Amino acid sequence: MSMQQWPNSGPYGNVPQRQPGPVPGPGGQQPMMRASDSDRARAEDVLKAGYAEGRLSKHEFDQRMAHVHSATTYGELHHLLADLPQGPSPLPAPAPAFQAPVPAPMPYAPARPWSPVPPPQQTNGNAVGALVCGVLCPFTWGVTAIPAIILGHKARSDIQRTREKGDGMALTGLVFGYLTLVGWMMLLMLGIATGF
């Protein structure tokens, strides 16, 4: 390759240089293509690595760093890094990986038919009333016996229809009510028999 004098070329005056040619810049880019901020950042990293490894003096490092900030093309960056190992060139973006077709989901088949959770059973109010009236029979001298019997029968018929809780309470109220009535009837008959 022929050598040629370039008068007043570059900041160092008349220096014999190679005939300029299409030397690609970093990453295989054309020298006249404009460099980006990320390209200048990569050049700074190469200079820092060269300085840390002892390839550049402090003066050379400072001078080249100043030129990196003012460089506008790949050719200018390549000129600053030509005598330094630059590491691997940036890799192109990987092609999208092949994705196998996703199989269609199987239709959902429940194991057993869904049924709503039944609400908690309530206690029948008449059954509670029958129990209270039945328990109070001995304390009220039998006054609450008839209400206990009426509420007990009503509660048991409601429970058969609505499936509520409280059948035992209604039955207890009925027992107390009937026992109280039977007791009063026996006392009445005994009083009649004895003429009291």
Side-chain angles (χ1 to χ4, degrees):
M1 183 177 288
S2 62
M3 303 291 289
Q4 180 179 354
Q5 293 284 342
W6 292 86
N8 299 326
S9 63
Y12 305 109
N14 297 334
V15 179
Q17 298 181 353
R18 293 176 184 261
Q19 180 73 24
V23 180
Q29 315 297 3
Q30 294 300 319
M32 296 309 296
M33 187 178 290
R34 295 186 69 85
S36 67
D37 290 338
S38 60
D39 297 322
R40 284 185 279 275
R42 280 193 292 272
E44 288 177 8
D45 292 340
V46 172
L47 291 175
K48 289 175 184 176
Y51 176 65
E53 295 167 356
R55 299 178 193 275
L56 296 173
S57 67
K58 174 71 170 139
H59 175 70
E60 289 174 318
F61 173 73
D62 292 339
Q63 188 178 16
R64 292 190 190 195
M65 285 294 279
H67 286 300
V68 164
H69 294 297
S70 62
T72 57
T73 64
Y74 282 109
E76 294 174 12
L77 291 176
H78 181 70
H79 178 70
L80 295 170
L81 307 176
D83 58 345
L84 296 173
Q86 299 179 28
S89 300
L91 296 175
F98 173 75
Q99 293 183 352
V102 179
M106 295 294 292
Y108 174 73
R112 56 186 177 194
W114 178 83
S115 61
V117 177
Q121 289 184 331
Q122 296 181 348
T123 303
N124 187 280
N126 290 327
V128 175
L131 177 64
V132 171
C133 291
V135 170
L136 290 177
C137 284
F139 304 102
T140 59
W141 297 93
V143 174
T144 57
I146 294 178
I149 294 171
I150 294 173
L151 289 173
H153 283 295
K154 185 168 181 356
R156 295 197 76 190
S157 68
D158 289 345
I159 288 170
Q160 289 179 353
R161 188 181 73 252
T162 61
R163 304 292 182 194
E164 292 177 311
K165 295 191 299 185
D167 188 57
M169 295 186 211
L171 188 59
T172 304
L174 282 171
V175 169
F176 277 110
Y178 279 121
L179 285 177
T180 304
L181 276 183
V182 169
W184 276 110
M185 288 176 67
M186 289 179 65
L187 283 175
L188 183 61
M189 289 173 59
L190 184 63
I192 293 173
T194 58
F196 178 73

